[in-house]
Amino acid sequence: MKSKVIGLAFPITIGVVADSILGLISLAVVSKLSTEAVAAVGVVQYLFFIFNAILMIFAGGATVVISQAVGAGCKEVAEEAAGETLGASLAFAFLLALSSPFWLKSYLHLMVGGNQEVIEAGCSYALPRMLTLPALALSTVLSSIYRSADRPWPTALSSVVTTLVGAIAIPTITRPPLGWG
């Protein structure tokens, strides 16, 4: 049993560390731009933390149902739960992403006390980032599905690849001529 827990925990840890490194890369890049940019990224990162916590509700439910179904040999129930969870989480993510132009400025205003420079920087950083919400939902739920089926490595490797791509893409799209600088 102990080796089973370690076998699941180790790849999950790798994925979490990789995701954290990506956040640090974002902050390191924008720290060279301005204090307002750092504040904007911090406020937007918190928003994504909230989104991720909500997505974990979908993932947690999927983990329970799929694990029980796999353990009981009920492949159809596992597949149905996976499909429903993917559909619901993607619908949630698309709804938030598509509606973000209507509420994002109000959120930023509330969080930064009306600092217009941070609000503008936050909007220019967050609006394109909101388009990644469906990918975040897909990644979160697929991670849960894979772990439920006792296959944690595909998602750990996906997190590592995402971090490597982000380490190149974030500085490229953040600095001139494409980004803020």
Side-chain angles (χ1 to χ4, degrees):
M1 181 64 144
K2 184 178 176 181
S3 65
K4 188 88 162 160
V5 171
I6 291 171
L8 283 172
F10 185 65
I12 291 169
T13 302
I14 289 172
V16 169
V17 168
D19 292 341
S20 297
I21 289 170
L22 195 55
L24 291 173
I25 291 169
S26 293
L27 282 175
V29 169
V30 298
S31 71
K32 295 177 181 11
L33 300 176
S34 69
T35 304
E36 290 79 13
V38 172
V41 168
V43 171
V44 173
Q45 289 291 84
Y46 180 70
L47 182 62
F48 270 75
F49 174 80
I50 292 169
F51 293 154
N52 213 2
I54 294 168
L55 289 170
M56 292 307 285
I57 294 168
F58 291 104
T63 299
V64 171
V65 174
I66 294 169
S67 295
Q68 289 176 349
V70 167
C74 299
K75 183 180 176 185
E76 295 84 25
V77 173
E79 289 173 350
E80 185 177 336
E84 287 177 6
T85 305
L86 278 170
S89 65
L90 285 171
F92 168 75
F94 275 110
L95 176 68
L96 284 177
L98 295 174
S99 68
S100 64
F102 302 106
W103 56 262
L104 184 61
K105 225 174 205 177
S106 297
Y107 163 80
L108 291 168
H109 188 275
L110 178 68
M111 295 302 289
V112 302
N115 183 324
Q116 205 56 40
E117 292 170 336
V118 176
I119 292 169
E120 291 307 315
C123 281
S124 67
Y125 172 72
L127 284 172
R129 179 117 193 260
M130 294 300 287
L131 297 176
T132 68
L133 277 177
L136 175 64
L138 189 63
S139 173
T140 301
V141 173
L142 284 177
S143 293
S144 175
I145 292 169
Y146 272 109
R147 285 192 303 267
S148 299
D150 199 22
R151 296 189 59 217
W153 281 106
T155 55
L157 295 175
S158 171
S159 290
V160 170
V161 169
T162 300
T163 298
L164 294 173
V165 170
I168 295 166
I170 290 170
T172 302
I173 64 173
T174 304
R175 294 188 179 151
L178 300 176
W180 278 343

